[in-house]
Amino acid sequence: MWNCREDWLIIFIYVLSVFPLVCFSANFVPIDNYLIDCGSHTNTSIGSNLNFTSDTFFKNFLSTQEDILANTTLKSINSTTDFSPLYQTARIFISSSKYTFPINKKGRHWIRLYFFPFSYQNYNLSAANFAVTTEHNILLSSFSVPKKNPVMKEYLVNVTLDTLVITFTPSNNSTAFVNAIEVVSVPDDLIADDAIALNPRREYTGLLTDAFETVFRLNMGGPSVSSSVDPLHRTWVPDTSFLIQPNLATNFSSIGAVKYAKGGATENIAPPSVYGTLTEMNSDGDPRSNFNVTWKFDVEPGFQYLVRLHFCDIVSKGLNELYFNVYITSLLAAKDLDIGEKTHNTLATPYFMDFVTTPSVDNKILVSIGPSDVNSDYPNAILNGLEIMKMNNSISSLSASAAVSLPSSHGSKSKKVGVIVGVSLGIFCALVAMVGGFFVLRKRRRQLAQQGDSKTWVPLSDGTSHTMGSKYSNATTASAASNFGYRFPFAVVQEATNNFDESWVIGVGGFGKVYKGELSDGTKVACKRGNPRSHQGLAEFRTEIEMLSQFRHRHLVSLIGYCDERNEMILIYEYMENGTVKSHLYGSGLPSLSWKERLEICIGAARGLHYLHTGYAKAVIHRDVKSANILLDENLMAKVADFGLSKTGPEIDQTHVSTAVKGSFGYLDPEYFRRQQLTEKSDVYSFGVVLLEVLCARPVIDPSLPRERVNLAEWAMKWQKKGELARIVDPTLAGKIRPDSLRKFAETAEKCLADFGVDRPSMGDVLWNLEYALQLQEAVVKGDPEENSTNMIGELCPQINNFEQEPSVSVEQSEASSLDDLSGVSMSKVFSQLVKSEGR
Ligand SMILES: *[C@@H]1O[C@H](CO)[C@@H](O)[C@H](O)[C@H]1NC(C)=O
Ligand SMILES: *[C@@H]1O[C@H](CO)[C@@H](O)[C@H](O)[C@H]1NC(C)=O
């Protein structure tokens, strides 16, 4: 791509043009040093050492269909304080456009983006709305600069390829723009791989691969430090406006005293003008002073932040005079800190510490310094500099504006509408059922979605791991939740699905279509694209993602993210290679599954449901268990999907009486149908139908069959009662199921299908019975197969008995306990409908 000679010539000239820089920063010479003045016809010098090249000289690096060079005159600009000539010109994009920078040295780079929204001809840049992405990171999405103030965004990214491509993508019918871009090498050791994570306190590693956005960079107790003074061209601002009680703090400065030394920070970490000034306790010589000096920062929730504290003890006369404590958002970060000791018994040596933290529930990060108990004679505490950097989330995004504007409550109006829709749907469903209109079921779903009740969107997130659970379980619940709200730009979803290519559709439902997709990093996904939503649906859509993402289990399909740009309602799930269980049973021509595979699939699904019923402090009822909602990954591992499909149904009160029947025909619990009494046992019933479907490999309702055979559950139970269920088993399994395995399996299904919920087993019992059926198939279990199998379970698997009393202990203990921590989360109205109102 870059082997064209002209390109290299340009790079060469370009590198020469920035060469003077070397003279001013002896410490570090950036190998890659692109300073681009966008939309300008001429180069622009900033200060004496920064030379921005016009991007018209940079044409080969820019790929855009437009050529809109916008400019403004200084006269139209109100704010003159930090106004740089860079802001006088901009390049405007109407379609997705890229700058491609050849990278000569891989590793950490600054990306600095300059924006100033002025008006130019027909373009009002303050209305521009767009995304900025690199190959690896989403830097900005749905971004706009509404106020007439210049904005500079600074990112620190790790470049691993030979080029860095920065793409500007306008939102629907909008424009994108940029005034200037910097892509500059950064010393790789600027941020080490590890830091101390707080809450709980532990070592955090992996910073080397994270991307950062600078959100605050302060010079304590001193003036602004401009980019021309800083060796890495950072800007440091004064701290005073962030102090909660400025009267408790005072300044001190002695820039000449700063002595960089081995073991401490280097000048690249922060210059002397930062380390040489500090803010300290204003104790007025009072030896009894005992208070904290605290700075407060508003941050975006849903991200972790790297907090870097800079210290340099220029106040002490001798060693071991100053001990103090540092707190980050009320957590003890450093106790009895003695800077001199940290820097090998030197004074005035710069030193820094890195912490990884999450914001408080009200989206703040507080940094406090206060006296330690060690020396109450001279109580003091100091801080010289502070940086707060947002870390990318697990989909490598630094943008998730949705997490900020999460609605705290739901309007009563929308609730009422929901109830009315629910009630009328209830009547509708009952009518449908009476006329035996199972054909209409799909249509009903469609209507449901069309009525704006498109909240058939209950995303489930799993995450295989307990690590994820425990990683966040001690954090404040609000921030833990928002850690999972991953917002995708529409353009990313569009690209992933080949612009919603019809040939990529892998499923269609009432909500819309499901598309196969592939993210730029190669991750396969399934994108469910909802029909256009009502305005009110948005708030609930977001709350849902926030709340339900907390359910994480390897047998629940995981939510990767969502997109709500452009009035869209798209959920992005992990891609399940092998589709639905249903498709492997009949009607698709896929090779038939062995009995063992089928048992393992049933066991997996049962685990997922068991977790829903018991893993949380309150039971969550799926309400639409069916073979089409159990998906298989590449290893045929089963995961439950589409959980809580009909979640905006009517309220469920204390007695679990629901006014509308939801679910899929053929799987519906007769008791729920008769009495609208909703319990976990309704899921157990539906699961019993699934078991029969798996065994017999036929649709649960097949109207083309003679009447007594139309309904699988009825028909199969007829045979089961006669003890001859084997006669209707999937012919491809004939002779391959061990009789005792079949018997155990059939008994389990039969119990699930009991008329009354109280007579049905719990999902936990079902799980153990299925596991036992698998053992019987594999002949692991020795013993008399004719013996009553229930007794056998008791003898052979003693833990089963425990299980009856203490389900969360014997099954997947760790998942259950890690969720206990989340039980304090206040549920959204929407969500609470899925939750049984009493604890277990
Ligand atoms: C300083 O703040 C921390 C954390 O909020 C608190 O535990 C400590 O008691 C405070 N110290 C003083 C002297 O107020
Ligand atoms: C940031 O993104 C990288 C991949 O680009 C990922 O490995 C890392 O875990 C992400 N960081 C966080 C804190 O999620």
Side-chain angles (χ1 to χ4, degrees):
M1 194 178 193
W2 297 103
N3 48 12
C4 163
R5 226 198 238 159
E6 267 169 68
D7 289 342
W8 284 114
L9 190 62
I10 289 172
I11 296 169
F12 182 66
I13 293 170
Y14 181 77
V15 168
L16 279 186
S17 73
V18 296
F19 201 70
L21 181 68
V22 176
C23 316
F24 290 87
S25 55
N27 289 333
F28 177 70
V29 182
I31 307 264
D32 298 308
N33 193 2
Y34 299 99
L35 311 180
I36 309 300
D37 187 2
C38 303
S40 171
H41 289 284
T42 56
N43 295 346
T44 306
S45 293
I46 304 295
S48 54
N49 57 357
L50 294 180
N51 196 356
F52 280 71
T53 310
S54 156
D55 70 351
T56 56
F57 303 140
F58 206 69
K59 267 287 166 58
N60 293 339
F61 302 85
L62 172 62
S63 132
T64 179
Q65 285 171 7
E66 292 87 46
D67 197 21
I68 310 169
L69 274 58
N71 61 68
T72 186
T73 52
L74 266 177
K75 278 183 191 147
S76 67
I77 292 151
N78 307 331
S79 120
T80 46
T81 40
D82 63 345
F83 198 80
S84 140
L86 291 176
Y87 292 117
Q88 285 177 55
T89 61
R91 194 175 273 277
I92 300 177
F93 307 112
I94 302 166
S95 61
S96 185
S97 304
K98 299 171 196 290
Y99 285 90
T100 304
F101 300 92
I103 295 299
N104 295 310
K105 184 175 184 297
K106 294 176 189 172
R108 286 222 161 104
H109 286 72
W110 296 122
I111 297 177
R112 295 193 180 104
L113 304 173
Y114 295 77
F115 304 103
F116 175 66
F118 54 78
S119 288
Y120 175 75
Q121 295 178 354
N122 297 332
Y123 302 103
N124 172 11
L125 298 185
S126 52
N129 190 295
F130 54 99
V132 183
T133 53
T134 67
E135 294 101 316
H136 295 303
N137 297 106
I138 300 166
L139 304 181
L140 292 165
S141 64
S142 301
F143 174 71
S144 57
V145 192
K147 294 226 190 69
K148 291 229 167 206
N149 280 325
V151 170
M152 196 273 280
K153 294 268 177 187
E154 182 184 271
Y155 302 90
L156 185 59
V157 299
N158 189 21
V159 182
T160 56
L161 306 173
D162 292 329
T163 58
L164 173 69
V165 181
I166 301 181
T167 306
F168 293 81
T169 309
S171 304
N172 209 12
N173 296 328
S174 192
T175 49
F177 75 98
V178 61
N179 302 71
I181 304 177
E182 292 182 34
V183 172
V184 180
S185 297
V186 169
D188 283 325
D189 59 2
L190 182 66
I191 296 179
D193 192 47
D194 58 335
I196 298 163
L198 300 169
N199 196 15
R201 196 182 180 92
R202 65 202 185 279
E203 190 188 15
Y204 183 101
T205 54
L207 291 174
L208 279 181
T209 53
D210 287 335
F212 302 89
E213 178 188 343
T214 309
V215 286
F216 296 100
R217 181 177 289 130
L218 308 185
N219 177 27
M220 275 36 194
S224 285
V225 174
S226 79
S227 61
S228 53
V229 172
D230 184 286
L232 305 180
H233 303 300
R234 292 161 296 201
T235 302
W236 305 72
V237 303
D239 66 313
T240 37
S241 61
F242 298 94
L243 282 166
I244 290 184
Q245 287 175 284
N247 57 314
L248 295 182
T250 184
N251 298 337
F252 183 81
S253 80
S254 178
I255 295 175
V258 178
K259 292 189 293 283
Y260 292 92
K262 242 183 127 192
T266 63
E267 203 156 341
N268 286 334
I269 299 292
S273 40
V274 171
Y275 280 119
T277 68
L278 56 75
T279 292
E280 61 181 328
M281 285 173 66
N282 185 12
S283 43
D284 234 355
D286 182 349
R288 290 161 305 173
S289 293
N290 190 19
F291 57 83
N292 290 327
V293 175
T294 302
W295 294 262
K296 182 171 82 176
F297 305 92
D298 291 308
V299 293
E300 194 175 14
F303 293 92
Q304 297 182 83
Y305 290 83
L306 180 70
V307 176
R308 171 167 287 184
L309 306 168
H310 296 274
F311 302 103
C312 183
D313 183 358
I314 45 177
V315 291
S316 294
K317 303 278 176 289
L319 285 168
N320 313 116
E321 270 180 22
L322 175 62
Y323 295 86
F324 59 101
N325 294 339
V326 183
Y327 309 87
I328 296 177
T329 318
S330 299
L331 298 165
L332 190 60
K335 188 168 161 44
D336 308 329
L337 185 60
D338 177 358
I339 303 298
E341 185 225 301
K342 294 283 185 190
T343 56
H344 311 301
N345 294 325
T346 54
L347 272 182
T349 300
Y351 180 74
F352 68 95
M353 297 178 88
D354 287 338
F355 297 93
V356 171
T357 189
T358 48
S360 63
V361 203
D362 56 346
N363 309 329
K364 308 265 189 277
I365 290 178
L366 300 176
V367 174
S368 308
I369 51 172
S372 117
D373 300 332
V374 172
N375 61 337
S376 44
D377 286 356
Y378 303 99
N380 198 6
I382 62 166
L383 187 61
N384 303 59
L386 174 68
E387 291 171 273
I388 299 183
M389 307 192 88
K390 186 201 271 182
M391 296 162 61
N392 68 266
N393 64 22
S394 69
I395 56 146
S396 306
S397 178
L398 282 157
S399 171
S401 37
V404 185
S405 54
L406 265 172
S408 49
S409 61
H410 296 271
S412 55
K413 195 176 161 203
S414 67
K415 203 168 86 188
K416 270 185 205 141
V417 172
V419 172
I420 291 163
V421 170
V423 169
S424 44
L425 273 177
I427 295 165
F428 184 52
C429 286
L431 283 176
V432 165
M434 273 180 217
V435 293
F438 37 78
F439 306 104
V440 194
L441 186 78
R442 267 170 189 258
K443 266 194 201 151
R444 178 182 79 84
R445 282 263 178 78
R446 220 163 279 151
Q447 275 161 357
L448 197 130
Q450 276 159 10
Q451 286 169 35
D453 188 338
S454 42
K455 297 99 173 187
T456 42
W457 292 96
V458 181
L460 255 188
S461 202
D462 92 324
T464 13
S465 46
H466 318 148
T467 24
M468 282 306 279
S470 57
K471 184 170 176 186
Y472 295 106
S473 59
N474 285 324
T476 58
T477 45
S479 55
S482 44
N483 273 313
F484 303 106
Y486 304 132
R487 195 176 185 195
F488 279 60
F490 183 70
V492 170
V493 186
Q494 234 175 345
E495 196 183 319
T497 57
N498 201 18
N499 199 13
F500 301 101
D501 192 329
E502 285 302 304
S503 66
W504 289 28
V505 171
I506 49 172
V508 183
F511 50 84
K513 290 176 179 166
V514 184
Y515 298 83
K516 186 176 73 179
E518 191 170 325
L519 301 179
S520 54
D521 68 352
T523 308
K524 283 187 173 177
V525 293
C527 303
K528 251 194 197 179
R529 189 187 196 189
N531 298 323
R533 58 164 184 251
S534 66
H535 190 67
Q536 277 163 340
L538 176 63
E540 292 168 10
F541 173 67
R542 286 179 175 173
T543 310
E544 256 170 42
I545 290 165
E546 187 89 354
M547 289 298 167
L548 295 171
S549 301
Q550 290 174 23
F551 288 82
R552 309 178 74 79
H553 191 273
R554 66 182 169 282
H555 292 292
L556 300 177
V557 169
S558 63
L559 179 75
I560 293 176
Y562 67 97
C563 170
D564 61 354
E565 244 173 68
R566 307 194 193 182
N567 223 34
E568 290 283 350
M569 198 148 84
I570 302 171
L571 290 169
I572 300 138
Y573 295 96
E574 68 176 309
Y575 182 70
M576 297 293 284
E577 198 73 40
N578 275 309
T580 67
V581 167
K582 186 176 182 173
S583 69
H584 288 264
L585 295 174
Y586 48 88
S588 66
L590 290 172
S592 100
L593 299 168
S594 73
W595 181 236
K596 185 179 170 216
E597 282 168 335
R598 295 186 202 201
L599 280 172
E600 281 168 349
I601 287 166
C602 292
I603 288 168
R607 274 188 206 283
L609 289 171
H610 172 68
Y611 171 76
L612 278 183
H613 290 175
T614 62
Y616 198 81
K618 290 176 176 177
V620 173
I621 302 163
H622 185 289
R623 299 175 87 177
D624 202 12
V625 175
K626 56 180 178 179
S627 58
N629 280 343
I630 300 168
L631 304 181
L632 301 173
D633 74 2
E634 65 277 15
N635 303 317
L636 291 178
M637 181 159 101
K639 301 193 182 203
V640 178
D642 267 331
F643 149 84
L645 197 66
S646 46
K647 70 172 189 59
T648 49
E651 303 278 307
I652 299 159
D653 71 13
Q654 298 290 340
T655 55
H656 326 302
V657 173
S658 143
T659 48
V661 173
K662 303 258 173 174
S664 293
F665 213 77
Y667 294 93
L668 221 50
D669 169 12
E671 187 174 51
Y672 172 36
F673 198 78
R674 275 195 309 269
R675 301 170 46 197
Q676 281 104 51
Q677 184 133 12
L678 186 68
T679 70
E680 309 93 295
K681 296 295 177 71
S682 300
D683 284 350
V684 173
Y685 182 93
S686 307
F687 191 72
V689 179
V690 171
L691 293 180
L692 293 177
E693 210 180 344
V694 166
L695 181 68
C696 306
R698 53 150 282 185
V700 293
I701 301 284
D702 187 346
S704 67
L705 291 171
R707 229 185 88 194
E708 74 279 7
R709 291 166 60 182
V710 169
N711 184 316
L712 170 64
E714 271 175 31
W715 187 55
M717 281 308 105
K718 212 174 278 173
W719 288 104
Q720 169 66 4
K721 299 254 150 64
K722 289 193 234 168
E724 294 179 54
L725 188 65
R727 295 176 65 158
I728 63 161
V729 163
D730 180 359
T732 65
L733 295 175
K736 294 179 185 155
I737 310 182
R738 288 179 168 246
D740 31 334
S741 176
L742 175 61
R743 197 192 60 218
K744 187 78 241 162
F745 188 87
E747 272 174 21
T748 310
E750 185 181 7
K751 283 185 195 139
C752 290
L753 295 176
D755 256 353
F756 297 97
V758 288
D759 301 328
R760 296 176 203 147
S762 71
M763 242 14 256
D765 297 334
V766 174
L767 174 56
W768 280 100
N769 279 294
L770 292 173
E771 292 196 323
Y772 189 58
L774 178 62
Q775 288 178 358
L776 290 170
Q777 178 67 17
E778 300 195 303
V780 171
V781 175
K782 296 184 188 73
D784 180 7
E786 296 310 315
E787 198 183 312
N788 179 309
S789 52
T790 314
N791 293 341
M792 262 173 75
I793 295 174
E795 287 159 25
L796 296 165
C797 313
Q799 68 272 39
I800 288 168
N801 292 330
N802 300 338
F803 177 72
E804 295 281 24
Q805 291 120 37
E806 205 59 270
S808 63
V809 171
S810 53
V811 176
E812 309 195 356
Q813 178 177 28
S814 37
E815 275 116 335
S817 55
S818 71
L819 275 170
D820 286 346
D821 298 320
L822 295 170
S823 56
V825 177
S826 73
M827 296 284 159
S828 71
K829 262 275 161 353
V830 172
F831 179 64
S832 62
Q833 291 165 16
L834 287 171
V835 175
K836 210 174 134 184
S837 32
E838 77 210 354
R840 294 178 60 84

